[in-house]
Amino acid sequence: MKEIILAKYGEIILKGGNRPRFENILLNNIRNSLKNVAKTSIRLAQATVYVDVEDEGKTDIVMDRLAKIFGIVSVTRAAVCEKNIEDIKARAKEYLKKDFGSGTKFKVEAKRSDKQFPYTSPQICAEVGGCLDDEYPEIIVDVHNPDVTVKVEVRDFAAYVYAEENKIQGQGGMPIGTGSKATLLLSGGIDSPVAGHMISKRGVEIDAVNFFSFPFTSDRAKEKVIELAGILARYTSKINLYIVPFTEIQLQIRDKCPEEHMTLVMRRFMMRIAERIARRNKSLALITGESVGQVASQTLAALDVTNSAVDMPVLQPLIGMDKIEIIDRAHEIGTYETSILPYEDCCTVFTPKHPTTNPRRENIEKSESRLDGETLIEAALAGVEKIEVYPS
Ligand code: ATP
Ligand code: MG
């Protein structure tokens, strides 16, 4: 039986005058994401994207891709019917067979956007419900508490039947490209990939910056960051990853700054360098993975010191989340297993024993003034490696 995928989108239908532009962005994102996966034909109507998969056997992988595209709230397979009630009934009987068992409670819901269709929505429900009831004597109509909700949609170009319960949930959010660009400080840890996912879910395109301290951190640590960017790219398409050589800065900080200030001075350098890279690439904000109180460098006083190094909004979407909630998210988006691989991050190599938890800006700035900041930043920027990371 001919099947099609229905991908429903959510929030962009509320966007008034911007809706057509946002719908086009969503369509382009879908086309890009499926380009190398399967041959498909795609059209859009009534807050639904209809994806016809022309390559045999590729439907599941296409559904998986669609479920990762921001803007899409649900994805389901549906049977394609001719636009007459007899064909709809015949296909419903056959298509829903696998969903019905002994004692299954069901109801039918119909939507009709083609007002020329000779049956109203309540009439369609009665026709299809009656016919299923006749065909499967062991199932029971229950409109209040159904196990299976049979959906019938009569559109301009065809009609569709599916069981609501077979829907898979999409990401929701807004399509990438509807919300400018931001630059993610991506470490190899658990938090920053989740932070990047959360902001890109709001439609923001993402570049990533990683600070790398060779030889204190190994090439395997770099591979890990590339791998994390590849997982994020499943949701965002390509990510430009900038790897910044950070060893010289860390060594100078270690040699010249008081040990308890090391972490914050280092964080401020990261922010400044990320800000320069962001401006060059027309990013409007930085994204980091901090959460209040998680570690010494994430007290409110410490966050003030870190963020005041730059003149650009710093988005910290995990700020009010507990570690457990962040870990749950990391599992959901698929970054957790990679994040916990045991390769050293550049920060852990230079972590002081007693970091200050209640720092004052002036004290940290005084420590910082022992370094030739501008020269160090220029040198780091000159050594940046850009990697284009594709969905893994
Ligand atoms: P994560 O799990 O993201 O590593 P964390 O809990 O280890 O976070 P910190 O080490 O305090 O936190 O870092 C705070 C934030 O600074 C990170 O979430 C990340 O955005 C950024 N950051 C830290 N180290 C790096 C790095 N080596 N490269 C890029 N960004 C970094
Ligand atoms: Mg970390």
Side-chain angles (χ1 to χ4, degrees):
M1 189 174 344
K2 172 88 185 128
E3 273 190 314
I4 198 162
I5 300 172
L6 310 186
K8 306 272 178 184
Y9 51 90
E11 195 174 329
I12 60 180
I13 60 181
L14 308 173
K15 299 296 179 202
N18 277 324
R19 175 173 170 171
R21 189 166 64 83
F22 288 0
E23 286 178 328
N24 267 328
I25 292 173
L26 177 64
L27 266 186
N28 270 331
N29 292 354
I30 293 174
R31 290 207 172 93
N32 277 334
S33 164
L34 299 181
K35 194 168 51 191
N36 299 320
V37 173
K39 191 164 159 37
T40 54
S41 76
I42 298 170
R43 73 159 106 191
L44 184 149
Q46 262 90 25
T48 306
V49 184
Y50 297 82
V51 182
D52 191 349
V53 183
E54 292 164 21
D55 288 339
E56 197 127 335
K58 292 284 178 73
T59 304
D60 282 339
I61 176 168
V62 169
M63 286 187 58
D64 186 56
R65 281 298 174 102
L66 290 168
K68 288 195 170 63
I69 295 177
F70 294 129
I72 291 176
V73 293
S74 73
V75 183
T76 186
R77 293 161 176 267
V80 182
C81 316
E82 284 171 33
K83 279 178 55 180
N84 66 66
I85 196 73
E86 291 312 319
D87 196 62
I88 293 171
K89 288 187 330 198
R91 304 223 174 233
K93 276 196 285 196
E94 191 188 337
Y95 194 63
L96 297 163
K97 191 173 181 176
K98 60 184 182 318
D99 298 291
F100 292 143
S102 176
T104 302
K105 294 178 279 181
F106 83 105
K107 73 170 174 181
V108 182
E109 284 180 359
K111 271 193 213 142
R112 182 184 68 144
S113 55
D114 173 10
K115 301 299 175 198
Q116 306 299 314
F117 192 71
Y119 293 79
T120 63
S121 298
Q123 287 169 334
I124 298 170
C125 290
E127 287 283 329
V128 174
C131 133
L132 290 172
D133 213 20
D134 291 345
E135 178 77 11
Y136 300 102
E138 73 282 14
I139 65 174
I140 307 153
V141 176
D142 184 339
V143 293
H144 299 297
N145 194 18
D147 303 311
V148 175
T149 302
V150 175
K151 294 272 200 178
V152 181
E153 298 186 7
V154 180
R155 302 302 186 195
D156 290 340
F157 31 90
Y160 306 94
V161 173
Y162 60 95
E164 169 92 350
E165 289 68 21
N166 294 337
K167 268 184 184 173
I168 56 175
Q169 222 188 338
Q171 290 284 317
M174 291 287 292
I176 299 268
T178 58
S180 312
K181 183 156 79 171
T183 295
L184 169 67
L185 283 81
L186 179 63
S187 72
I190 295 170
D191 303 334
S192 43
V194 176
H197 179 269
M198 282 174 79
I199 297 299
S200 56
K201 181 174 174 179
R202 297 306 308 153
V204 176
E205 194 189 329
I206 299 266
D207 280 347
V209 176
N210 176 257
F211 297 90
F212 184 61
S213 308
F214 190 79
F216 299 99
T217 47
S218 64
D219 270 335
R220 193 60 195 79
K222 181 164 147 189
E223 288 302 320
K224 175 181 169 181
V225 172
I226 296 171
E227 223 171 286
L228 286 170
I231 298 170
L232 284 181
R234 293 176 193 163
Y235 303 89
T236 65
S237 81
K238 191 188 80 175
I239 289 185
N240 291 323
L241 170 64
Y242 299 87
I243 307 270
V244 182
F246 204 53
T247 316
E248 184 53 31
I249 292 176
Q250 285 193 306
L251 289 174
Q252 295 242 356
I253 293 172
R254 189 191 62 185
D255 294 345
K256 297 188 179 157
C257 297
E259 184 185 321
E260 68 271 22
H261 290 173
M262 260 167 50
T263 307
L264 286 176
V265 174
M266 192 181 75
R267 298 278 304 115
R268 284 167 60 91
F269 269 97
M270 287 186 184
M271 298 300 276
R272 287 203 195 91
I273 293 170
E275 181 185 29
R276 305 264 182 115
I277 293 174
R279 289 197 191 284
R280 282 183 191 172
N281 296 293
K282 304 200 163 46
S283 259
L284 301 184
L286 302 179
I287 306 166
T288 64
E290 281 124 334
S291 133
V292 175
Q294 200 187 81
V295 288
S297 58
Q298 298 179 14
T299 61
L300 290 182
L303 292 175
D304 170 56
V305 168
T306 303
N307 296 350
S308 63
V310 294
D311 184 19
M312 184 177 252
V314 182
L315 309 179
Q316 296 170 316
L318 312 185
I319 202 73
M321 287 169 76
D322 296 343
K323 193 74 189 185
I324 301 221
E325 294 170 307
I326 299 169
I327 288 175
D328 285 348
R329 274 291 173 102
H331 278 296
E332 272 166 35
I333 67 175
T335 51
Y336 183 77
E337 296 299 329
T338 305
S339 286
I340 60 168
L341 291 173
Y343 309 105
E344 292 279 286
D345 177 43
C346 75
C347 311
T348 50
V349 180
F350 294 92
T351 304
K353 280 195 207 64
H354 302 290
T356 167
T357 52
N358 197 17
R360 292 162 53 129
R361 278 196 210 183
E362 357 16 310
N363 296 344
I364 302 290
E365 282 163 6
K366 211 161 117 197
S367 296
E368 223 169 47
S369 68
R370 302 180 188 179
L371 307 172
D372 182 357
E374 192 52 35
T375 306
L376 287 169
I377 289 173
E378 286 299 329
L381 286 170
V384 168
E385 177 190 3
K386 176 181 172 186
I387 304 175
E388 296 184 354
V389 184
Y390 290 89
S392 61

